[in-house]
Amino acid sequence: MPFLFLTLTIIAFFLNILGLMRLIPLYITLPLLFFSIYFTIYTFTHKNAYRGRMR
């Protein structure tokens, strides 16, 4: 799953480059890039929350 978000981040980066060249509106590409970077970092740093049964 993290590598899916990593490829999404790379695609969003290239879309943002197109947005900086004014081929695609920036108000579409910037949130897409932000959320893809956020979810990529989240999936790489997220650890298992389940630690077993507490006694």
Side-chain angles (χ1 to χ4, degrees):
M1 191 72 161
F3 298 108
L4 175 72
F5 286 123
L6 188 63
T7 56
L8 179 67
T9 302
I10 293 169
I11 292 169
F13 177 74
F14 285 119
L15 284 176
N16 196 22
I17 296 296
L18 291 176
L20 290 174
M21 292 191 302
R22 297 184 184 261
L23 298 174
I24 301 174
L26 277 176
Y27 59 85
I28 294 173
T29 62
L30 283 175
L32 182 67
L33 181 65
F34 173 75
F35 286 121
S36 66
I37 290 173
Y38 175 77
F39 286 126
T40 302
I41 292 172
Y42 178 77
T43 55
F44 275 115
T45 60
H46 184 67
K47 296 181 177 162
N48 276 339
Y50 181 72
R51 304 218 190 272
R53 192 171 169 193
M54 299 292 283
R55 285 188 173 198

